[in-house]
């Protein structure tokens, strides 16, 4: 069974469009995250959610909005996509705090 | 902002060679994690080190946490092509807004040629 699954795997879209990436975890973890990995492989945290409450929002444009319908899901919605949004987006979950992260396999977003 | 610098950024070696990857910071971390990421997949945890000076071994991989808990190293003995991947260190620290959080280093891309 896949612990952290995200869809789609690949997403190609044009500038200005709105898109969503879905994430689900079956580990029973309390905290879920979204990370962005740029072309240089640098992983930067975007959001984390703990019991449906946003904990971190690290200078992320408000075009990005996380939505958590329940503890097992954290979706990422992006409005008015820009070229610079092209990257690989990873969903992750953990028990919270400094506990190890379990990552999904990423969504490669390409904005043309 | 906590910063973690990894070196080298890229490393290409022949099968059977030894190598060391470094993870350095000017900040103190409560613990440090090492992950490996393969193409098309997410990072996977290798080990967590918690105590200053701690050494952990995972088969041919040896991880060490610096005495001051500001740095860490990963040593691979007799590297194999299966060790190829992106190695990431992540330090745990306290943030006033977010509580405990992880900061990732920039990664070391390792290629082991047969």
């Amino acid at each position: 069974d896949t612990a952290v699954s995200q869809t789609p795997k690949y997403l190609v879209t044009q500038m200005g469009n709105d898109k969503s990436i879905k994430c689900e975890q079956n580990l029973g973890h309390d905290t879920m995250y979204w990370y962005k990995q740029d072309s240089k492989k640098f992983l930067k945290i975007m959001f984390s959610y703990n019991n449906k409450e946003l904990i971190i929002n690290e200078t992320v444009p408000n075009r990005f909005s996380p939505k958590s319908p329940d503890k097992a899901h954290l979706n990422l919605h992006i409005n008015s996509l820009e070229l610079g949004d092209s990257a690989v987006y990873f969903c992750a979950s953990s028990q919270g705090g400094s506990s190890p992260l379990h990552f999904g396999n990423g969504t490669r977003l390409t904005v043309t | 902002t906590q910063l973690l610098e990894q070196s080298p950024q890229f490393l290409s070696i022949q099968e059977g060679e030894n190598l060391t990857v470094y993870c350095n910071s000017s900040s103190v971390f409560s613990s440090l994690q090492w992950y490996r990421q393969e193409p098309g997949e997410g990072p996977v945890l290798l080990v967590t080190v918690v105590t200053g000076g701690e050494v952990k071994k995972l088969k041919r991989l040896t991880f060490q946490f610096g005495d001051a808990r500001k740095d860490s190293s990963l040593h691979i003995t007799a590297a194999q092509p299966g060790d190829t991947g992106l190695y990431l260190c992540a330090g745990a620290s306290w943030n006033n807004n977010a509580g405990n959080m992880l900061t990732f280093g920039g990664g070391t891309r390792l290629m082991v040629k047969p």
Side-chain angles (χ1 to χ4, degrees):
Chain A
D1 286 343
T2 303
V4 181
S5 59
Q6 54 183 108
T7 56
K9 176 76 172 174
Y10 300 96
L11 184 54
V12 181
T13 188
Q14 291 184 327
M15 286 175 56
N17 284 347
D18 303 338
K19 291 292 179 184
S20 292
I21 307 172
K22 295 185 177 181
C23 179
E24 176 182 5
Q25 56 98 1
N26 62 7
L27 297 168
H29 286 161
D30 291 329
T31 308
M32 295 184 71
Y33 309 81
W34 277 105
Y35 279 82
K36 179 180 180 181
Q37 189 171 46
D38 60 26
S39 57
K40 295 184 178 180
K41 304 298 183 184
F42 186 70
L43 261 177
K44 185 174 180 180
I45 190 167
M46 300 176 70
F47 303 102
S48 75
Y49 254 76
N50 185 327
N51 293 325
K52 299 187 180 182
E53 186 175 353
L54 180 67
I55 298 178
I56 303 173
N57 184 342
E58 289 282 328
T59 64
V60 174
N62 57 16
R63 297 182 295 104
F64 292 79
S65 54
K67 298 189 191 304
S68 180
D70 55 59
K71 197 174 84 166
H73 296 83
L74 182 65
N75 303 323
L76 181 64
H77 190 74
I78 315 169
N79 291 326
S80 302
L81 278 156
E82 300 178 357
L83 292 176
D85 297 333
S86 295
V88 181
Y89 292 83
F90 285 98
C91 176
S93 72
S94 80
Q95 296 282 26
S98 56
S99 299
L101 299 174
H102 295 254
F103 285 89
N105 282 334
T107 295
R108 181 175 293 278
L109 171 66
T110 303
V111 182
T112 61
Chain B
T1 303
Q2 308 275 9
L3 289 177
L4 272 173
E5 294 188 0
Q6 288 188 239
S7 61
Q9 291 185 15
F10 303 95
L11 190 55
S12 180
I13 61 172
Q14 292 294 133
E15 181 176 1
E17 292 184 11
N18 301 332
L19 68 115
T20 302
V21 174
Y22 299 93
C23 177
N24 295 302
S25 176
S26 59
S27 304
V28 176
F29 294 100
S30 58
S31 64
L32 196 134
Q33 301 167 12
W34 283 93
Y35 293 79
R36 181 169 70 207
Q37 183 180 8
E38 300 190 20
E41 298 182 6
V44 176
L45 179 73
L46 294 173
V47 79
T48 301
V49 285
V50 179
T51 307
E54 181 177 3
V55 177
K56 279 191 174 179
K57 291 192 174 183
L58 187 66
K59 296 183 180 178
R60 293 175 294 100
L61 278 61
T62 301
F63 304 84
Q64 184 164 7
F65 202 11
D67 291 340
R69 290 184 287 127
K70 294 182 179 181
D71 53 82
S72 181
S73 63
L74 158 59
H75 182 78
I76 302 179
T77 304
Q80 299 178 1
D83 296 328
T84 293
L86 176 69
Y87 289 81
L88 295 158
C89 64
S93 58
W94 177 263
N95 177 285
N96 287 333
N97 293 324
N100 280 314
M101 61 177 288
L102 284 175
T103 301
F104 279 86
T108 293
R109 281 196 241 189
L110 171 65
M111 176 176 289
V112 182
K113 302 175 185 176

Short mmCIF file of all heavy atoms in Angstrom, two decimals, chain A residues 11 30-31 37-38 75 84 87-88 108:
data_model
loop_
_atom_site.label_atom_id
_atom_site.label_comp_id
_atom_site.label_asym_id
_atom_site.label_seq_id
_atom_site.Cartn_x
_atom_site.Cartn_y
_atom_site.Cartn_z
N LEU A 11 1.99 17.36 -14.68
CA LEU A 11 0.96 18.36 -14.95
C LEU A 11 1.57 19.43 -15.84
O LEU A 11 2.50 20.12 -15.43
CB LEU A 11 0.47 18.96 -13.62
CG LEU A 11 -0.68 19.96 -13.66
CD1 LEU A 11 -1.89 19.39 -14.38
CD2 LEU A 11 -1.05 20.36 -12.23
N ASP A 30 -0.39 13.04 11.94
CA ASP A 30 -1.14 14.24 12.32
C ASP A 30 -0.81 15.45 11.44
O ASP A 30 -1.59 16.40 11.38
CB ASP A 30 -0.82 14.62 13.77
CG ASP A 30 -1.41 13.61 14.75
OD1 ASP A 30 -2.46 13.03 14.41
OD2 ASP A 30 -0.82 13.40 15.82
N THR A 31 0.35 15.45 10.83
CA THR A 31 0.81 16.63 10.10
C THR A 31 1.12 16.28 8.65
O THR A 31 1.74 15.25 8.38
CB THR A 31 2.07 17.22 10.77
OG1 THR A 31 1.82 17.42 12.15
CG2 THR A 31 2.44 18.55 10.13
N GLN A 37 10.39 21.58 -4.92
CA GLN A 37 11.79 21.28 -5.27
C GLN A 37 12.10 21.91 -6.62
O GLN A 37 11.49 21.56 -7.63
CB GLN A 37 12.04 19.77 -5.31
CG GLN A 37 13.52 19.41 -5.45
CD GLN A 37 13.77 17.92 -5.28
OE1 GLN A 37 13.07 17.09 -5.85
NE2 GLN A 37 14.77 17.56 -4.48
N ASP A 38 13.05 22.83 -6.61
CA ASP A 38 13.36 23.56 -7.85
C ASP A 38 14.32 22.74 -8.72
O ASP A 38 14.69 21.62 -8.39
CB ASP A 38 13.90 24.94 -7.54
CG ASP A 38 15.18 24.90 -6.71
OD1 ASP A 38 15.91 23.88 -6.77
OD2 ASP A 38 15.45 25.88 -6.01
N ASN A 75 -4.65 18.98 -0.11
CA ASN A 75 -4.56 19.32 -1.52
C ASN A 75 -3.94 20.70 -1.68
O ASN A 75 -4.01 21.55 -0.79
CB ASN A 75 -5.95 19.27 -2.16
CG ASN A 75 -6.61 17.91 -1.97
OD1 ASN A 75 -5.95 16.88 -2.01
ND2 ASN A 75 -7.92 17.91 -1.73
N GLY A 84 7.39 30.68 -13.36
CA GLY A 84 8.26 30.37 -12.23
C GLY A 84 7.70 29.33 -11.28
O GLY A 84 8.39 28.88 -10.36
N ALA A 87 8.11 23.35 -11.31
CA ALA A 87 8.95 22.68 -10.29
C ALA A 87 8.33 21.32 -10.01
O ALA A 87 7.29 20.97 -10.59
CB ALA A 87 9.00 23.49 -9.01
N VAL A 88 8.97 20.59 -9.12
CA VAL A 88 8.36 19.36 -8.61
C VAL A 88 7.81 19.64 -7.23
O VAL A 88 8.53 20.16 -6.36
CB VAL A 88 9.36 18.19 -8.57
CG1 VAL A 88 8.66 16.92 -8.07
CG2 VAL A 88 9.97 17.95 -9.94
N ARG A 108 5.35 16.72 -11.07
CA ARG A 108 6.17 17.63 -11.89
C ARG A 108 5.24 18.57 -12.63
O ARG A 108 4.51 18.16 -13.53
CB ARG A 108 7.05 16.86 -12.86
CG ARG A 108 7.93 17.78 -13.71
CD ARG A 108 8.89 17.00 -14.60
NE ARG A 108 9.90 16.29 -13.82
CZ ARG A 108 11.00 16.85 -13.35
NH1 ARG A 108 11.26 18.12 -13.59
NH2 ARG A 108 11.87 16.13 -12.66
#
